[in-house]
Amino acid sequence: EIVLTQSPATLSLSPGERATLSCRASQSVSSYLAWYQQKPGQPPRLLIYDTSNRATGIPARFSGSGSGTDFTLTISSLEPEDFAVYYCQQRSNWPLTFGGGTKVEIK
Amino acid sequence: EVQLLESGGGLVQPGGSLRFSCEASGFTFSGYAMSWVRQAPGKGLEWVSSISARGGSTYYADSVKGRFTISRDNSKNTLYLQMNSLRAEDTAVYYCAKEARGGITIFGVVSMGNYYYYGMDVWGQGTTVTVSS
């Protein structure tokens, strides 16, 4: 099973700041990594797939990068609605696995 | 509007059974693989099971293998999760999700049937099961 480790667990930032979230895989997943956003009481929402492709309707301030075992989700300038929990998910091998999540909170 | 509506949650005793349903609308249900993902209270996301578009291939997390069964009825646009031998650690919100389809199967990415899938692009609101005596 591929283990995904997300860091930091919590990121405290102010609106307008840049957020950088990390996801590290225990073995290569090539470019087959997705990112999701989840707000309290809501289901997750697909943000990024295949490392760097934005899903439909996702604003350009969200971007993804990386390959192999190290991946990054960047939010260029935080909007109030971006404060949420973010999860990475690998799509390379069964079983599908998620990272433990990074909470982006208002500082 | 693309929509997934789960039902079937509730309180069940350890060792009991429950079946979830997920009714799809707004897209060609029979053309897409589907998945179940759960989230224990205050915890992260855990993939549970997936099924190919026609139902011929199924996949399970080790934690539920042999106890849970995923199935679908494409004539009713409905996905199911039959859960048996429930344990306290199965307590969670269960989400059904539509898989976003890429192209024909390629090496190195999860595939179901003839296609690879790159993420879960539509989610239901979730249904809750509490396993407790």
Side-chain angles (χ1 to χ4, degrees):
Chain A
E1 172 177 317
I2 296 176
V3 176
L4 300 178
T5 302
Q6 291 189 241
S7 61
T10 304
L11 199 52
S12 298
L13 295 168
S14 300
E17 289 193 294
R18 182 184 189 90
T20 303
L21 288 66
S22 174
C23 176
R24 177 164 289 178
S26 59
Q27 64 188 75
S28 177
V29 298
S30 185
S31 63
Y32 304 118
L33 190 101
W35 290 93
Y36 299 84
Q37 176 194 66
Q38 188 180 32
K39 299 178 182 179
Q42 295 185 19
R45 176 173 71 146
L46 179 65
L47 294 178
I48 300 285
Y49 64 91
D50 291 352
T51 295
S52 60
N53 296 299
R54 281 188 300 277
T56 302
I58 301 304
R61 64 181 181 273
F62 291 92
S63 63
S65 63
S67 67
T69 61
D70 291 297
F71 299 87
T72 300
L73 174 70
T74 302
I75 311 171
S76 60
S77 178
L78 283 164
E79 297 287 339
E81 61 267 29
D82 299 336
F83 292 92
V85 180
Y86 293 83
Y87 295 94
C88 57
Q89 181 199 38
Q90 64 83 17
R91 309 286 308 186
S92 179
N93 285 328
W94 297 105
L96 299 178
T97 50
F98 289 93
T102 291
K103 181 179 182 180
V104 179
E105 65 175 23
I106 299 176
K107 186 175 182 180
Chain B
E1 180 189 4
V2 177
Q3 201 168 9
L4 297 172
L5 185 62
E6 301 103 331
S7 60
L11 174 64
V12 62
Q13 292 188 338
S17 297
L18 207 59
R19 189 177 84 155
F20 290 150
S21 298
C22 171
E23 186 172 352
S25 59
F27 66 100
T28 305
F29 180 72
S30 61
Y32 294 88
M34 299 291 294
S35 294
W36 290 96
V37 174
R38 69 183 179 183
Q39 188 169 36
K43 302 297 184 181
L45 302 173
E46 180 187 12
W47 170 76
V48 173
S49 182
S50 299
I51 187 169
S52 61
R54 295 183 180 182
S57 299
T58 57
Y59 309 83
Y60 297 95
D62 284 346
S63 58
V64 307
K65 199 173 294 182
R67 300 188 299 123
F68 290 11
T69 301
I70 191 171
S71 62
R72 62 192 297 161
D73 185 338
N74 286 345
S75 69
K76 296 182 178 179
N77 290 344
T78 302
L79 175 72
Y80 303 100
L81 185 67
Q82 176 68 44
M83 303 183 296
N84 299 330
S85 303
L86 283 162
R87 307 166 179 167
E89 54 265 34
D90 296 318
T91 295
V93 175
Y94 285 73
Y95 296 101
C96 67
K98 169 185 168 288
E99 290 280 345
R101 191 179 68 197
I104 300 298
T105 297
I106 57 177
F107 177 77
V109 61
V110 296
S111 298
M112 290 179 268
N114 295 325
Y115 297 95
Y116 74 90
Y117 290 84
Y118 56 78
M120 300 171 181
D121 63 346
V122 181
W123 295 68
Q125 286 300 310
T127 187
T128 301
V129 63
T130 302
V131 184
S132 175
S133 55

